Amino acid sequence: MSIKYQEIAEITSQEEISDGIFSMWIKTENIAKNAVAGQFVSLYSSDSASILPRPISICEVKDDKSGLRLVYRVAGKGTSEFSGLKEKDTIKVLGPLGNGYTLKNETAMLIAGGIGVPPIVELAKQLHQKGIKDIKAVVGYRSELFLKEELEKYCNVYVATEDGSSGVKGNVMDAIRENGLTADVVYACGPKPMLKAVSDYAKQNDIEAQISLEERMACGIGACLACVCKSKEVDEHSNVKNKRICADGPVFDSREVEL
Amino acid sequence: MNTKVNLAGVELENPVMTASGTFGSGMEYGKFVDLNNLGAVVTKGVANVPWEGNPVPRVAEVYGGMLNAIGLQNPGIDLFVKRDLPFLAKYNTKVIVNVCGRTLEDYLEVVERLGDEDTVDMLEINISCPNVKEGGIAFGQNEKSVEHVTKEIKKIAKQPVIMKLSPNVTDITVMAKAAEAGGADVVSLINTITGMKIDIERQTFVLANKTGGMSGPAVKPVAVRMVYQVANAVKIPIIGMGGISTAEDAIEFMLAGATAVSVGTANFVNPYTTKEVVDGIKSYMNSHNITDINSVIGAVR
Ligand SMILES: Cc1cc2nc3c(=O)[nH]c(=O)nc-3n(C[C@H](O)[C@H](O)[C@H](O)COP(=O)(O)OP(=O)(O)OC[C@H]3O[C@@H](n4cnc5c(N)ncnc54)[C@H](O)[C@@H]3O)c2cc1C
Ligand SMILES: Cc1cc2nc3c(=O)[nH]c(=O)nc-3n(C[C@H](O)[C@H](O)[C@H](O)COP(=O)(O)O)c2cc1C
Ligand code: FES
């Protein structure tokens, strides 16, 4: 597990890339240097009445490792505060947190829904740099697309929208079926029902699926046991059938967890 | 300058400890702060057998604090002794093991088991967890059972015993006196205050457990008041906690009567908090010409 740092990071740019979805680049001393695809950071509010960190996935690591891109949806108090930050403002960040995806030397299908799309951008980049030739991304949205162009730099992108305004009308599983897509390894991030469908799909096709889970967090580093998910076997650390999403995940092999 | 304090014969390098359940066994936060510089590490509650804990969501943010209903998930005493104690033994800090149980026998089993462990300097008995249906708080809300549990534990304990008190009672001094009467060496307070948060969009409870224990900066005034009351009611030393995030907070608890203090929820906000509190206490002593930290304890009457 990588070394973690708490830093006061400077915002280098911020823009609204879709309705209520913000993209923020921050400059970090050490966090970006140590980050891998699928890890996340904890962002802290400047309002001392909001004490808990907001976990946000790493969307991209800057090429020279001097900063991170975070893409998030305004969901409440904290994210709404972050969306108001401007260039040169600062924010308290803890990271990199969690394990990240394990990059395999096999054909890859990246499946993401909604605000699960951001982490697969860095993943696609890393797989591409690793020289994996066959990378596909299947991304699902309600209606408006975001981060599609970034993904297209590294892979073939298949889209599903709930309202049918682009790509296949329906969800990512519909897009996989309609386009007849297959791969050796699946990497996924998105809402629980989607992850469940992805796990079932991987099981039926007897392929590996690495899925990224979410839960309410407090420490973000594995100390408080707030963020557990159910595991199929007794976990080595907890000694019960619970795994810590922040420390043992957020990425799990779909065969080791119960959704 | 003397920062050493004494808890029932156990000398701490300084009065700053961690609050049970917020610091694991130190492995995670040990990457941020040097555990050697802490007065003591207090571990997450451990029971005789592994506990699964409560369903998620287990935490929620509230104004100036948080609610938790972890439900005392723990790996059980066997793995704890095999893995966590050897880790803590490497550090030059005091080790306080927090003990939880559903029945008196559960507590006794763990206390007996730890008796042979040299690494363990003290035991903290959690009779105040609001998040498990049986045990825990049931023992801590009735003075007769506080005294009885304390007495039974004291009969077999080889290390000094800290009884951890619940704020969810009408008069905490009654429980403190009962613990003292039962032979407790130290009392620690406060555990979390039972609270609730409702999601008005989904029209349901935020926590799967419905209720959770409140901690963090917002509970501090309640905790300081209770430490003050208990300090005036018993002779045994007090470990004060509840919302401490700065050295100033720690000093406030000590002035109210605490011999040592624990930092809990604040670790989640800033993983360096314990170190900052230790350093800040020294700065306070410097700027106030205090040569011995013990002169601060209970100085406000
Ligand atoms: C590992 C991980 C990665 C994530 N990555 C992203 C991302 O890249 N982009 C993005 O938009 N969102 C992401 N989320 C969700 C994001 O953390 C929440 O949307 C955010 O915390 C909401 O905060 P708020 O203050 O705006 O909302 P509020 O509802 O005001 O938050 C109140 C409290 O609940 C917590 N909370 C609320 N929703 C969630 C949630 N879904 N998951 C965890 N905690 C929550 C908050 O952290 C806060 O402590 C991620 C969550 C996890 C666990
Ligand atoms: C996530 C969490 C887990 C806790 N677990 C325990 C526990 O296992 N045993 C215990 O005695 N107290 C437990 N507590 C209570 C704390 O030790 C402390 O009494 C309380 O949180 C008040 O201090 P604070 O405001 O500094 O956090 C827990 C608190 C939190 C927030
Ligand atoms: S948030 Fe504390 S263990 Fe994961």
Side-chain angles (χ1 to χ4, degrees):
Chain A
M1 207 170 294
S2 53
I3 310 173
K4 306 171 188 74
Y5 302 86
Q6 188 171 67
E7 294 183 22
I8 306 295
E10 188 181 300
I11 283 94
T12 48
S13 70
Q14 166 129 265
E15 58 172 328
E16 187 167 6
I17 58 168
S18 175
D19 193 22
I21 311 277
F22 287 76
S23 166
M24 176 164 89
W25 278 96
I26 59 171
K27 193 163 85 190
T28 67
E29 193 75 32
N30 291 304
I31 300 174
K33 277 191 197 125
N34 292 281
V36 300
Q39 287 187 300
F40 64 101
V41 295
S42 274
L43 298 182
Y44 295 83
S45 167
S46 62
D47 176 355
S48 57
S50 280
I51 65 163
L52 293 183
R54 273 60 183 169
I56 301 290
S57 305
I58 292 169
C59 172
E60 285 191 75
V61 180
K62 212 167 170 205
D63 291 336
D64 65 1
K65 306 246 173 212
S66 67
L68 295 174
R69 184 185 192 186
L70 306 173
V71 172
Y72 59 92
R73 170 183 287 144
V74 171
K77 218 166 132 207
T79 46
S80 147
E81 176 194 325
F82 306 150
S83 71
L85 294 171
K86 304 267 176 314
E87 202 183 318
K88 296 232 157 60
D89 285 344
T90 56
I91 187 166
K92 194 161 98 175
V93 190
L94 178 70
L97 305 176
N99 57 357
Y101 291 102
T102 307
L103 276 60
K104 293 292 175 75
N105 273 318
E106 289 154 283
T107 63
M109 178 149 55
L110 284 50
I111 309 174
I115 204 60
V117 175
I120 69 159
V121 175
E122 182 62 26
L123 176 63
K125 193 198 287 177
Q126 293 305 325
L127 287 167
H128 179 73
Q129 281 173 9
K130 201 177 156 73
I132 309 293
K133 293 280 167 317
D134 184 1
I135 313 171
K136 309 174 190 73
V138 189
V139 285
Y141 303 91
R142 251 171 236 153
S143 170
E144 218 183 332
L145 313 185
F146 54 88
L147 298 174
K148 179 166 172 270
E149 277 146 42
E150 281 84 338
L151 285 167
E152 279 169 342
K153 285 194 242 168
Y154 314 111
C155 57
N156 293 321
V157 181
Y158 302 85
V159 170
T161 51
E162 280 172 26
D163 64 1
S165 55
S166 344
V168 171
K169 182 172 169 34
N171 61 32
V172 288
M173 298 319 291
D174 299 322
I176 291 171
R177 237 183 332 266
E178 289 197 17
N179 292 294
L181 306 176
T182 56
D184 297 326
V185 182
V186 165
Y187 305 85
C189 184
K192 220 175 208 168
M194 185 201 98
L195 295 177
K196 205 161 168 23
V198 168
S199 301
D200 293 344
Y201 166 83
K203 195 171 174 192
Q204 278 153 23
N205 294 279
D206 197 24
I207 55 174
E208 173 183 338
Q210 297 182 28
I211 58 173
S212 180
L213 305 185
E214 257 189 27
E215 192 44 70
R216 305 282 159 146
M217 296 185 176
C219 71
I221 62 169
C224 74
L225 309 179
C227 66
V228 299
C229 63
K230 288 275 149 217
S231 56
K232 297 225 165 87
E233 306 294 330
V234 169
D235 172 65
E236 190 194 326
H237 178 271
S238 72
N239 211 18
V240 291
K241 289 184 177 172
N242 284 341
K243 285 181 182 291
R244 301 162 301 176
I245 291 177
C246 71
D248 308 317
V251 181
F252 295 96
D253 185 313
S254 63
R255 287 163 293 202
E256 49 174 9
V257 291
E258 303 271 2
L259 291 177
Chain B
M1 185 192 291
N2 177 46
T3 59
K4 292 194 171 83
V5 295
N6 193 301
L7 285 175
V10 178
E11 189 170 75
L12 312 189
E13 208 43 52
N14 63 62
V16 183
M17 344 196 297
T18 62
S20 176
T22 64
F23 210 78
S25 288
M27 286 163 197
E28 295 81 15
Y29 283 105
K31 305 244 165 71
F32 294 90
V33 293
D34 184 355
L35 303 181
N36 293 305
N37 295 336
L38 297 179
V41 171
V42 183
T43 70
K44 169 78 186 164
V46 61
N48 56 337
V49 292
W51 287 16
E52 294 257 343
N54 287 327
V56 292
R58 290 177 170 185
V59 290
E61 186 175 81
V62 295
Y63 197 89
M66 64 177 284
L67 301 178
N68 92 79
I70 308 293
L72 294 174
Q73 180 187 321
N74 78 86
I77 190 67
D78 288 341
L79 183 57
F80 178 84
V81 166
K82 223 167 36 202
R83 176 187 63 195
D84 299 42
L85 287 183
F87 168 80
L88 286 165
K90 292 186 293 189
Y91 294 91
N92 184 21
T93 185
K94 298 296 180 228
V95 174
I96 302 179
V97 177
N98 184 283
V99 180
C100 56
R102 293 193 174 94
T103 63
L104 177 58
E105 288 68 35
D106 289 357
Y107 286 104
L108 294 176
E109 193 180 328
V110 179
V111 168
E112 186 161 24
R113 191 62 205 282
L114 291 171
D116 306 323
E117 299 294 336
D118 295 338
T119 309
V120 182
D121 295 291
M122 301 182 89
L123 305 172
E124 181 178 58
I125 312 299
N126 180 6
I127 49 164
S128 45
C129 182
N131 300 325
V132 292
K133 300 230 154 39
E134 339 141 76
I137 200 161
F139 292 105
Q141 284 178 327
N142 174 301
E143 69 251 46
K144 285 204 184 69
S145 88
V146 171
E147 185 174 341
H148 178 65
V149 171
T150 311
K151 225 178 226 153
E152 294 301 311
I153 287 170
K154 275 301 289 177
K155 273 187 204 157
I156 61 160
K158 299 233 177 80
Q159 294 95 345
V161 171
I162 305 162
M163 296 304 285
K164 185 158 181 182
L165 304 181
S166 171
N168 304 309
V169 294
T170 313
D171 183 353
I172 196 163
T173 64
V174 174
M175 305 305 155
K177 283 186 205 152
E180 186 177 46
D185 299 286
V186 179
V187 284
S188 59
L189 59 140
I190 61 175
N191 206 319
T192 53
I193 304 173
T194 308
M196 180 181 279
K197 183 172 181 173
I198 289 168
D199 181 333
I200 63 163
E201 295 305 325
R202 291 166 47 241
Q203 302 205 345
T204 179
F205 307 98
V206 173
L207 296 175
N209 190 53
K210 297 183 185 171
T211 61
M214 185 171 170
S215 61
V219 309
K220 197 188 75 177
V222 177
V224 171
R225 181 264 295 178
M226 290 188 166
V227 165
Y228 177 79
Q229 287 180 312
V230 170
N232 285 301
V234 299
K235 294 199 178 59
I236 52 178
I238 297 165
I239 301 166
M241 73 195 89
I244 297 176
S245 42
T246 63
E248 288 74 16
D249 297 335
I251 297 289
E252 201 178 332
F253 274 86
M254 294 189 77
L255 288 169
T259 298
V261 292
S262 292
V263 176
T265 302
N267 291 302
F268 304 155
V269 188
N270 170 6
Y272 304 102
T273 307
T274 47
K275 177 195 183 327
E276 289 173 9
V277 173
V278 173
D279 294 346
I281 288 177
K282 290 178 188 156
S283 310
Y284 175 85
M285 290 172 69
N286 260 327
S287 61
H288 291 72
N289 293 319
I290 296 165
T291 52
D292 184 354
I293 191 69
N294 287 280
S295 66
V296 171
I297 300 167
V300 173
R301 287 286 84 178

